[in-house]
Amino acid sequence: MVMRYSFLLVFSLTVFSLFGQMANPAHWSFTSKQVSDTEFDLIFKAKIDEGWKTYSPYQKYGDDVIAPTPTGFYFDEGDHFATQGDITESGNRHEAREPLFDNIVVAYFKKSATFTQRVKLKDASKPITGYLEFMACNEEMCLPPASVDFSFLLSPAPKTSDSKAAPATDPQIAKTVEENLEKPAQVFTEVEGIELQEAIAQQGDKMAKPVNWSFESKKTGDQEYELLFTAKLNEGWTIYSQHTDPDDGPIPTEFIFEPGAHFETVGEAAEEGKKKSGPDPFFGGAIVVKFVEGTITFTQKVRANDPSVPIKGYVTYMACNDSECLPPTDVDFVFNLENGTAGLAAIDPGSGLPLIDQSVATIKSTYVEPLGNCGTESVVRNSSLLWTFILGFAGGLLALLTPCVFPMIPLTVSFFTKSSRDRKTGLRNALLYGLSIIVIYVSIGLLITGVFGATALNQLSTNWIANTLFFVIFLFFAFSFFGYYEITLPSSWANKSDAMADKGGLLGIFFMAFTLALVSFSCTGPIIGSALVQSATDKMGPFVVMLGFSTALALPFALFAAFPGWLNSLPKSGGWMNSVKVVLGFLELALALKFLSVADMTMHWNILPYEVFMGAWVAIFAAMAAYLFGIIRFPHDGPAKKLPVARLAFALLSLGLAIYLVTGFSFNDRTQTYNSLKLMSGLAPPAHYNIFLPEPEVDPAIKARYPSFTKCANNLDCFKDYQEGVAYAREAKKPVLLDFTGYGCVNCRKTEEHIWIVDKVWKKIAQDYVLVSLYVDDRKPLEETLLSAPRQEKLRNVGNKWADFQIVNFEQNSQPLYVLMSPDERVLAAPRGFKEGVNDYADFLSCGLEAYRQLPETEGQQGVGQLGSNE
């Protein structure tokens, strides 16, 4: 019975962990809308996970090709209804080549899709039923076609004289809207009986809008009012408090009022909502205060001198989730105190604001079908849980080599094989012993997640106080491994557990494993603690890391029980196990500095800049090499003897690592900073956080002609104005690398620090392209507020302008986005978002360059690879 329950527990844990990873990338919902006395629109909406796509019902390829399954809608037959015309579609639709199906051109939807089928109802007592079929694919694989059943029970209501058909679902209107989405605002086709802008809005916004604002006013006194600004956050998104320092990276929420004598503000706006304070990894560990979920209310008290005059202004905010930050967004508001109404401020056509239409016809016409038949839009992939498991597994292997665990392997296996009736029973008991180890440690991981919660765990990994505490704890662990003291649990715990183990049977085997966990804590505790801290950025992290740790720890007991002869090949216990502990102590010491570095950059203490951090790591690994060579000794070390081959190998490896770290101080003439080591990515501070190197200088000749010309990442020449960059590209006869980026964009920095820095990529950008970097979070005010004609939104600063440019031309508002263009503003290859991989990025640049060279007007030109080279 106990065995059955043990198996059930482990099986359940495994099933739950796998179940959470099963792909279900398209989420369907169904609604209906009455459009006449007997006609209804049946609306099928798909919300598609990031990185996935589903396929349009309308494809251009024939039946004789291998192709993805188009979305199809199949109605059960009946005489109680009849379909009217073909189904219509709208949403984030693309047409491009599909690499998973021999590069045939397909039509597909990303993020969202809406399908509408008009029906004529003859008998309202019967439901309209059927099913839809769809296929979902990402960049790496396609899931089998899936079906979803639907049922509509329609209830007709008489149409009133002033009602009108739903603009987003009428087939003719939908068609007109789709046509107008490709036109500048000033040439919109009018549709009778409907505001076209409203219809476009109802067609489904292609941009992410994770924050919904509402406004309300309350009278609290004779002339006293409270203005309430309420933000409702979509799940997983955050916005930043007014009290976050904008110099640290994120844009704080801010309320800007149009000045006037009719009112005055009283104090600053109060904030109410669920907050989290601490360093934000998106902004280099800067201290931020952000709202993490639910509804947030800001309350601004005002004194109204003339309530008949509306109070107007706008709120600006930045929204981020776990993988990206959107550009700062402005939302206009108006409060009519006299009648108590408030809401979004409509754009007044007669406001006199200068209109700007940044849509470029050649970009829009070549964005979906680039000139080059290569490249694909890239998305972020998250494989962090796999690496978390590997981290735990590696920790378990290290724990096996410690003096608390290693001697237990032959003793325990011999006990099971010799005390059992037969070999089969011994093998079974050893397997149950290993299984018990996994259950114990995985339960610890689940307990930690259950007690602290995912939010608290993530805060532990980013909070400056927590990181300082981790620094102290890891120092404590390190000196324990060095042998200056032992970290042990109360002996009574082990005695009680050992007494339970003496009872024998399955329960006795479990408590034998539990006793091992207790008595080995002095060796395994620091390793477990280190692994748990590193895994705390994900809610499943503690579970996965403990699964990896316990699997590695349990594996030898099962293997040696199955093959007892292998025990003879095990090395004998001895002083080498103490050497393993000391080496682990050096590693704990190095990791301690990593946590102190996070706190240092967060609090701007400037005690661990790049040079100090790297120098400390060089000293640690040089000391480790000296220890392994026998030059220095610790309390538990025995007399010096001839170095074993394995110890000599690890000594040379440590010395080599120290020498490798020294190369991190080499100066890169091209980037004008230190050469960051790839091995130290995410561990060491960024190379620009230094105390000795000067800032690089720009070329004054180019700067005189193009004011936006400057030095960007890795000392690359770049332009921060689109028009100037394109003008220079025409002059230099080079293609353009258009870089939509942000000062607070973490994935942008990853690309610059780990991909652009590599020689073959850096040379291509420097020699073959004109780099134009547009910062969508640049808060520098424009000379005058502009009005975006296509989007009918005010553009107040430089970041607003470049974000608008990205949205109207590329239908995206997330960064980074890399676009390769010819000087005459035609897209050369499919745009690329953030994706790791140097070779892929180099191929992406080569793809665009080859497409540019194939253009008739560029044949014979000598500009590429010559003008503007930084070499």
Side-chain angles (χ1 to χ4, degrees), residues 76 136 235 292 298 310 322 326 453 557 560 565 626 648 655 692 713 805 858:
D76 295 335
E235 184 177 358
V292 293
F298 301 86
D322 290 338
L326 300 181
F557 296 97
F560 286 118
L648 179 61
L655 182 60
F692 295 127
F805 183 85
T858 63

Side-chain angles (χ1 to χ4, degrees), residues 389-549:
F389 179 86
I390 294 174
L391 170 69
F393 194 85
L397 294 179
L398 286 174
L400 284 171
L401 301 178
T402 61
C404 309
V405 179
F406 186 81
M408 299 295 294
I409 297 175
L411 292 176
T412 306
V413 173
S414 298
F415 171 79
F416 286 132
T417 55
K418 293 179 180 179
S419 63
S420 302
R421 295 188 305 271
D422 49 44
R423 185 173 181 274
K424 181 178 180 181
T425 304
L427 177 60
R428 185 200 66 180
N429 290 341
L431 290 174
L432 287 173
Y433 182 78
L435 197 60
S436 298
I437 292 175
I438 294 176
V439 171
I440 290 167
Y441 283 101
V442 167
S443 298
I444 294 173
L446 291 175
L447 180 65
I448 290 173
T449 303
V451 171
F452 292 100
T455 301
L457 287 171
N458 184 64
Q459 186 172 359
L460 281 177
S461 68
T462 57
N463 184 273
W464 75 269
I465 298 176
N467 275 276
T468 305
L469 182 62
F470 291 149
F471 165 70
V472 175
I473 292 173
F474 273 52
L475 281 181
F476 186 65
F477 286 162
F479 283 92
S480 170
F481 276 145
F482 288 152
Y484 291 106
Y485 43 80
E486 292 288 338
I487 303 174
T488 59
L489 294 174
S491 59
S492 59
W493 295 9
N495 293 335
K496 291 178 180 178
S497 178
D498 193 41
M500 294 294 293
D502 290 339
K503 294 183 178 181
L506 298 178
L507 191 61
I509 292 174
F510 176 83
F511 275 97
M512 281 185 66
F514 193 62
T515 302
L516 173 69
L518 293 177
V519 299
S520 64
F521 182 79
S522 62
C523 295
T524 61
I527 299 174
I528 293 172
S530 305
L532 285 173
V533 168
Q534 294 291 339
S535 69
T537 55
D538 190 283
K539 63 182 180 181
M540 290 294 292
F543 168 82
V544 174
V545 79
M546 295 305 277
L547 179 63
F549 179 87

Side-chain angles (χ1 to χ4, degrees), residues 778-795:
D778 188 342
R779 305 302 292 172
K780 181 182 178 182
L782 296 171
E783 293 183 359
E784 58 180 341
T785 300
L786 305 173
L787 180 62
S788 170
R791 299 170 58 232
Q792 290 295 292
E793 291 190 9
K794 294 179 181 178
L795 311 178

